[in-house]
Amino acid sequence: MNKAAGDPNGPKGPNGPKGPNGPKGPNGPKGPNGPKGSNGSNGSNGPNGPNGPNGPNGPKGPKGPNGPKGPGGLSRRQALTALGVGAGALIAEQVLVADGTPSSASAAPGPSVAPEPSGYAPDGTSGRAAALPLSAVKLLDSPFRQNQARNTTYLLFLDPERILRSFRLNYGLPSSAEPLGGWEAPGSQIRGHMTGHLLSGLALTYANTNDEATKIRGRYLVSQLAALQARATTAGFHPGYLSAFPEVYFDWLEQGKSVWSPYYMIHKYLAGMIDQYQLTGDDQALDVAMKLADWVGWRTARLSYDEMQMVLQTEFGGLPEALANLYTITGQERYLATAQRFYHAVVLDPLADGLDILPGLQANVTTPKIIACVRMWEETGSSKYHDIAQNFWDIVTGHHVYVIGGVGNYEHFQAPDVVAAELSNFTCENCVGYNMLKLTRLLHFHQPDRVDMLDYYERTLFNQMLGEQDPTSPHGFNCYYTGLSSGAFKRQPLNYFPQGNPGVYATDWDTFTCDTATGLETQAKFADTIYSRDADGLYVNLYIPSQVRSQGLVLEQATGFPDDPVIRLSVVAGAATQTLRVRVPKWVAGSSTVRLNGALLRGLPDAGPSGWIALRRRWRTGDLLEVTLPMELAVEPTPDHPTVQALIYGPVVLSGVFGSDPGSLTPQLEMASVRQTAAQPMTFEGVADRKPVKLIPIARAAHEYYTAYWQMV
């Protein structure tokens, strides 16, 4: 997220983070109010302005053939019209081009369509059918479950009184609790942001593990925040306002003054409340969410289109996504209207046309906007939203990712196809990985047969996100960046905490950042994409030890992947006729081997690389399907300097580890010297700069210097 601290009119402290646009990126700093000149805002009558052919008031193309459907097979927008609320059906366009207060239709209290009480709204419309609930998937022993356990310990360690301290003081109540540090410090303009992620992390953990303590903790936090929200007018705020900082920050924002991402915080509270409602059944959380969303609606309805676009130049996270989710839950049209005011035209219009305007933009400011576009496409039927999201995913994964799937150097998108020239210990902010996986998951639900999306998900999950947590920390501390320079080192972000201990990823109370916060969710929801489903059966998307309940069967996946290439799927309970599909990734070396109850199966259609092993039969308790996915060493050249390459084994990026800093020069690795020395744990060795070097999966590099890119000789 964009980084700043202190009063926007006060001086910058000597060690404080940079102003509201964060650290200088490789392509130069951004201007004080948004992207640098080449991506600046178009005039209102220009091609991308509100009145131009590409603007939000321009004509919309037809809904794509794979677009989401509403009742009776209609799109959500068609359903709105059919239900007699045509004025509301076009609310998106009306609100976006309004020059003043939106029409009364935008604030209509009645529902536009029946609410969607079933499913998990953040999974989207296709996810309601395709996703399995977290309660249906249980992680078995593996590094993923170990990470989850450490994370749960930390979730319950965090003292709720200290977490609530800034909120209580903001509403005029006393607190004897010790203040927090880092970005949660009393003087930080984003104090309180951890609280929303904590609500989500607790809810996700309860949904997956049924740990009653996480439910109780979440209920307490919700009840206390609800009581504070009820004091809004007493504290001098407008009804529904909820935050750990005063509402005047939004006055500053609307006046064009520098302030650190206040709507980003509102997004986190809203998302956390939605998770508490949907995953733990806390009705009070929904009440808080609706009142807060109504406050957002009131606040933004007062602004003209141009004023709103100015506001959107300051980071707002995925707030429109959360508002769309609230619309799904409640059917209240006003939340969709509010969501569409957060259409940031200067960034989104070019992406709708397939233009790569990403260089210089901050990656974690941009990606949540795209996730919101998927949800807005699903709820409005507008193909423009779909095009933005799909084009962004194609552009980023095709031209802006590093070998581990991560994105960004110094938190900004680099020029397309530039990797070797953009290596540092500040690459791949883990918040961006968290958001790229959310985006990939939503898009994949609409295209379940696309193996390439799951290959990207796997690459990022196994190499970056699994490795962001310190395996030696009882509280599962997460690092901020996954660096990829020569001699990179996982540590707390010394650009924000220059006096910090470089030997630790984070601390219990003094190094709160957005990556601490998203890490609480990442480590809680590893189970959410291992499997998906359709009316015909089950998809095995990822190879992670787990047990799943679906359509009358209980299946157990046993594997030592990636150290062991064999995936064993056994039916441990139930009987049902369905199709079981197992992903065959692009990286598989040669042919996969498939055995059913010990018998070798041959000639399976579409079972080669980038395909699916699909078996339809009557599955019974005791059935065992074994799939072997052979791997081989390969290299991935950087597009800008092809002799600089990364070494991969299957989906795993191998890193050389060193006992001391090897220096900043890219070492030369003799490819012919590389050989595997152990299967479990996966270990290779080779010769780099004429010295032996140990090579291990990059996710397992911890408290040691490591190198992922080499000059191959």
Side-chain angles (χ1 to χ4, degrees), residues 240-570:
Y241 182 68
L242 177 64
S243 188
F245 51 82
E247 192 177 0
V248 70
Y249 284 17
F250 292 91
D251 295 333
W252 295 343
L253 182 67
E254 292 163 6
Q255 294 162 12
K257 294 180 179 178
S258 175
V259 62
W260 188 1
S261 311
Y263 274 120
Y264 178 98
M265 258 53 65
I266 300 300
H267 166 230
K268 302 311 170 189
Y269 309 146
L270 192 56
M273 290 295 172
I274 288 172
D275 285 341
Q276 283 290 319
Y277 169 67
Q278 289 217 291
L279 299 178
T280 77
D282 189 343
D283 290 340
Q284 188 175 38
L286 178 61
D287 182 64
V288 173
M290 293 177 69
K291 289 175 179 175
L292 181 57
D294 286 338
W295 173 86
V296 176
W298 165 80
R299 189 95 208 184
T300 55
R302 300 153 54 248
L303 306 179
S304 69
Y305 175 84
D306 288 339
E307 288 170 337
M308 190 67 197
Q309 291 300 304
M310 179 190 70
V311 164
L312 298 182
Q313 290 168 353
T314 297
E315 181 179 18
F316 54 88
L319 182 52
E321 176 210 358
L323 290 163
N325 292 336
L326 195 58
Y327 167 63
T328 296
I329 294 165
T330 66
Q332 295 291 330
E333 186 181 310
R334 63 185 186 270
Y335 299 132
L336 187 63
T338 303
Q340 300 216 30
R341 295 184 194 127
F342 285 84
Y343 180 93
H344 193 193
V346 67
V347 173
L348 301 180
D349 278 346
L351 287 168
D353 294 331
L355 302 178
D356 185 353
I357 46 78
L358 299 179
L361 295 183
Q362 194 180 42
N364 200 49
V365 172
T366 307
T367 310
K369 300 173 185 177
I370 312 304
I371 297 170
C373 284
V374 181
R375 291 293 292 116
M376 297 305 291
W377 163 53
E378 293 179 326
E379 299 298 356
T380 69
S382 170
S383 61
K384 184 173 184 178
Y385 281 119
H386 166 268
D387 293 347
I388 291 165
Q390 189 62 62
N391 289 342
F392 176 88
W393 193 90
D394 292 341
I395 290 167
V396 171
T397 59
H399 303 283
H400 290 279
V401 296
Y402 292 89
V403 67
I404 64 171
V407 174
N409 188 24
Y410 288 92
E411 304 176 35
H412 291 70
F413 286 108
Q414 71 272 38
D417 301 315
V418 175
V419 173
E422 294 281 3
L423 298 177
S424 75
N425 203 36
F426 301 92
T427 54
C428 302
E429 182 189 358
N430 292 315
C431 278
V432 188
Y434 157 88
N435 278 310
M436 282 298 297
L437 292 190
K438 285 185 66 175
L439 174 62
T440 303
R441 172 179 163 81
L442 280 176
L443 289 172
H444 177 255
F445 286 147
H446 289 275
Q447 306 164 78
D449 291 331
R450 280 192 60 174
V451 172
D452 61 323
M453 286 187 162
L454 291 170
D455 284 355
Y456 169 76
Y457 195 103
E458 175 185 66
R459 177 79 70 97
T460 308
L461 181 67
F462 274 82
N463 293 291
Q464 182 180 358
M465 307 316 292
L466 179 62
E468 73 168 340
Q469 190 191 90
D470 181 355
T472 69
S473 163
H475 289 166
F477 294 142
N478 296 296
C479 60
Y480 194 101
Y481 304 104
T482 300
L484 292 174
S485 61
S486 175
F489 201 93
K490 295 176 184 176
R491 55 175 49 137
Q492 60 183 285
L494 298 183
N495 50 332
Y496 298 122
F497 306 120
Q499 309 305 316
N501 180 355
V504 300
Y505 289 18
T507 64
D508 280 328
W509 299 108
D510 297 324
T511 55
F512 289 118
T513 66
C514 58
D515 288 82
T516 309
T518 56
L520 299 181
E521 296 183 44
T522 292
Q523 314 296 325
K525 60 177 184 176
F526 285 134
D528 72 355
T529 312
I530 302 174
Y531 307 97
S532 56
R533 60 186 173 178
D534 62 13
D536 196 40
L538 187 72
Y539 290 82
V540 181
N541 300 322
L542 300 170
Y543 320 123
I544 296 174
S546 52
Q547 189 177 91
V548 57
R549 291 181 287 105
S550 179
Q551 301 179 37
L553 296 178
V554 179
L555 286 88
E556 185 170 295
Q557 180 181 170
T559 181
F561 185 87
D563 306 79
D564 182 351
V566 182
I567 293 91
R568 299 171 182 85
L569 296 161
S570 58

Side-chain angles (χ1 to χ4, degrees), residues 7 30 47 99 115 119 180 197 289 303 492 533 662 689 695 703:
D7 189 313
K30 296 193 289 183
D99 187 17
L180 305 178
H197 287 283
L303 306 179
Q492 60 183 285
R533 60 186 173 178
D689 290 343
L695 297 154
H703 301 290

